[in-house]
Amino acid sequence: MNRRHCATAAITLVCALALLTSTGQASAAPVPEPSPSSSSASPADPSQHYSNADLEKVREQIETLYRQAGAATDAYNLAEEQTKKQSGEIVKLAKAIVDGQARIAALKDRAGAQAREQYRNGGLPPGAQLALSNDPKLFLDGINKVRQSQQASKSLLTELNQTQQDLETYTQDASANWEKLEANRVKQAKAKKKINAQIKAAEKLESRLEKKERDRLRQLEQDAANRAQTAWLSSGAVKDVSGEASEAGAAAVAFATAQIGKPYVWGAEGPGSYDCSGLTSRAWLAAKRPIPRTSQEQWRLLPRIDIQDMRPGDLIIYHADASHVGMYVGDGAIVHSPRPGRNVTLAGAGSMKILGVVRPDK
């Protein structure tokens, strides 16, 4: 590898940092918009209305679409987090490359100065000239200076070689991090398209309903949640749950409940809006305990506990793909940010399919 060309090419990374905040430019295959299931009511004919059975199918489909959007939101948030990390690494490496080039230039200047000094003295360093003296004292001093000069030259060459090797490593690392950065930006773009497709499909389904039907749809959502919560409580799942919140857990609960009424916005981390994991991660950050940003990473990385050992502040992860999360607040309830079109609210902890429970401060 031509070291100079390699290092110079890597420096261009600094100029490219202005692009790091752009996440929407990467190309990705378009995600087809899901089609609603057939219904006996024709959306184009406002004189026809959805029956209860049809409206229940619409509710289930809307719920599925929003859950898929939630999973895609997690993918988007994770890619965004990784992009920020790679951006930071590139900045550090770019600085290291600049510093390394400056160090090499300084070492070469020192080596050149030594060479010029020897040239002026007939090719011999001052110590060597003294070593040829007939004066014994000057001779011994000269020998010592020759050794010192040799050692200094050796150290200079060693330092120069090491700096050049470090520069090559920095350049390779910067290139690898740049590739990861681009891959994460592409992943973000794909996730964003999928999120938009799922949300638009769900909104399209809802838009076909008249106001009275939308009210009935919301009631069906609440009825389904109530049935699930009743079944969960009846199973005795929380019969022996009586743990008290830790100091940090209480602080996290206080933060999360203070956000009730704020709207769900995918990718949002406050202060005016939140997605589900944006709410839980910010709540625990307020309790001075940083946790992973996404519900899937919270499930993967945080300590898991049994439901019977649950206490306020713990996080309940939902669905098989860990695409939703809420914070347990006690008495069988959670605070969570449900989905687009809804606000941060209290809900039954068993109103959705529970995957498991994690504890951020275990």
Coordinates of all heavy atoms in Angstrom, one line a residue, residues 2 11-12 22-23 72 82 93 96 147-148 172 175 185 199 218 261 284 321 332 335 341 347-348 351 355:
N2 N 0.6 2.2 -0.9 CA 1.3 3.5 -0.9 C 0.8 4.2 0.3 O -0.4 4.7 0.4 CB 1.0 4.2 -2.1 CG 1.8 5.5 -2.2 OD1 1.9 6.3 -1.3 ND2 2.4 5.7 -3.4
I11 N -8.0 11.0 4.8 CA -8.3 12.3 5.3 C -9.6 12.9 4.7 O -10.3 13.7 5.3 CB -7.2 13.3 5.0 CG1 -6.0 12.8 5.9 CG2 -7.5 14.7 5.4 CD1 -6.2 12.8 7.3
T12 N -9.9 12.4 3.5 CA -11.2 12.9 2.8 C -12.4 12.5 3.6 O -13.5 13.1 3.4 CB -11.3 12.3 1.4 OG1 -11.4 10.9 1.5 CG2 -10.1 12.8 0.5
S22 N -27.3 12.8 6.9 CA -28.3 12.5 5.9 C -28.6 11.0 5.9 O -27.8 10.2 5.7 CB -27.7 12.9 4.5 OG -28.6 12.4 3.5
T23 N -29.9 10.6 6.2 CA -30.2 9.2 6.3 C -31.2 8.8 5.3 O -31.6 7.7 5.2 CB -30.9 8.9 7.7 OG1 -32.0 9.8 7.9 CG2 -29.8 9.2 8.8
A72 N -40.4 -2.3 12.6 CA -39.6 -1.6 11.7 C -39.0 -0.3 12.3 O -37.8 0.1 12.1 CB -40.4 -1.1 10.4
Q82 N -26.5 3.0 15.7 CA -25.2 2.5 15.2 C -24.6 3.5 14.2 O -23.4 3.6 14.2 CB -25.5 1.2 14.4 CG -25.9 0.0 15.3 CD -26.3 -1.2 14.6 OE1 -26.8 -1.1 13.4 NE2 -26.3 -2.4 15.2
L93 N -11.0 8.7 14.3 CA -10.0 8.1 13.4 C -9.5 9.2 12.4 O -8.3 9.2 12.2 CB -10.6 6.9 12.6 CG -10.8 5.7 13.4 CD1 -11.7 4.7 12.6 CD2 -9.5 5.0 13.8
A96 N -7.1 11.1 14.3 CA -5.8 10.3 14.5 C -5.0 10.3 13.3 O -3.7 10.4 13.3 CB -6.2 8.9 15.0
R147 N 27.6 6.9 20.4 CA 26.6 6.0 20.8 C 25.3 6.7 21.0 O 24.2 6.1 20.6 CB 27.1 5.3 22.1 CG 28.2 4.4 22.0 CD 28.7 3.9 23.3 NE 29.8 2.9 23.1 CZ 30.6 2.5 24.1 NH1 30.4 3.0 25.4 NH2 31.6 1.6 23.9
Q148 N 25.3 7.8 21.6 CA 24.0 8.6 21.8 C 23.4 8.9 20.5 O 22.2 8.8 20.3 CB 24.3 9.8 22.6 CG 24.6 9.6 24.1 CD 25.0 10.9 24.8 OE1 25.1 11.9 24.2 NE2 25.1 10.8 26.1
Q172 N -7.2 1.9 7.6 CA -8.0 0.7 7.3 C -9.3 0.7 8.2 O -10.4 0.4 7.8 CB -7.2 -0.5 7.6 CG -6.1 -0.7 6.6 CD -5.1 -1.8 7.0 OE1 -5.2 -2.4 8.1 NE2 -4.1 -2.0 6.2
S175 N -11.8 3.2 6.9 CA -12.5 2.6 5.8 C -13.6 1.6 6.2 O -14.7 1.6 5.7 CB -11.6 2.0 4.8 OG -10.6 2.9 4.3
R185 N -26.9 3.3 7.1 CA -27.8 4.3 6.5 C -28.8 3.6 5.5 O -29.9 4.0 5.4 CB -26.9 5.3 5.8 CG -26.2 6.3 6.7 CD -25.2 7.2 6.0 NE -25.9 8.0 4.9 CZ -25.2 8.7 4.0 NH1 -23.9 8.7 4.0 NH2 -25.9 9.4 3.2
I199 N -47.7 2.4 8.2 CA -48.6 3.4 8.9 C -49.6 3.9 7.9 O -50.8 4.1 8.2 CB -47.7 4.5 9.4 CG1 -46.9 4.0 10.7 CG2 -48.6 5.7 9.8 CD1 -45.9 5.0 11.2
R218 N -62.4 2.1 18.1 CA -61.7 2.4 19.3 C -62.3 1.6 20.5 O -61.5 1.1 21.3 CB -61.7 3.9 19.6 CG -60.9 4.3 20.8 CD -60.8 5.8 21.0 NE -59.9 6.4 20.1 CZ -58.7 7.0 20.5 NH1 -58.4 7.0 21.8 NH2 -57.9 7.6 19.7
G261 N -50.3 11.5 27.9 CA -51.0 12.5 27.1 C -50.2 13.0 25.9 O -50.8 13.6 25.0
W284 N -35.5 5.9 32.0 CA -34.4 5.3 32.8 C -33.2 6.2 32.7 O -32.4 6.3 33.6 CB -34.1 3.9 32.3 CG -35.0 2.9 33.1 CD1 -36.1 2.3 32.7 CD2 -34.8 2.5 34.5 NE1 -36.6 1.6 33.7 CE2 -35.8 1.7 34.8 CE3 -33.8 2.8 35.4 CZ2 -35.9 1.1 36.1 CZ3 -33.9 2.2 36.7 CH2 -34.9 1.4 37.0
D321 N -41.6 -10.8 18.5 CA -40.4 -10.1 17.9 C -39.9 -8.9 18.8 O -39.1 -8.1 18.4 CB -40.8 -9.5 16.5 CG -42.0 -8.6 16.5 OD1 -42.5 -8.3 17.6 OD2 -42.3 -8.1 15.5
G332 N -50.7 -4.2 38.3 CA -51.1 -4.9 37.0 C -51.1 -3.9 35.9 O -51.7 -4.3 34.8
V335 N -47.3 2.0 31.9 CA -47.4 3.2 31.1 C -46.6 2.9 29.8 O -45.6 2.4 29.8 CB -46.8 4.4 31.9 CG1 -45.4 4.2 32.3 CG2 -47.0 5.7 31.1
G341 N -51.2 7.8 16.3 CA -52.6 8.2 16.5 C -53.1 8.0 17.9 O -54.2 8.4 18.2
A347 N -52.2 1.4 30.8 CA -52.9 0.3 30.2 C -52.7 -0.9 31.1 O -51.8 -0.9 31.9 CB -52.5 0.0 28.8
G348 N -53.5 -1.9 30.9 CA -53.3 -3.2 31.6 C -52.0 -3.8 31.1 O -51.8 -3.9 29.9
S351 N -52.6 -6.6 28.6 CA -53.5 -6.3 27.5 C -52.9 -6.6 26.1 O -53.6 -6.6 25.1 CB -53.9 -4.8 27.5 OG -52.7 -4.0 27.4
L355 N -43.9 -11.1 26.1 CA -42.7 -11.9 25.8 C -41.9 -12.1 27.1 O -41.5 -13.3 27.3 CB -41.9 -11.2 24.7 CG -40.6 -11.9 24.3 CD1 -40.9 -13.3 23.7 CD2 -39.8 -11.1 23.3

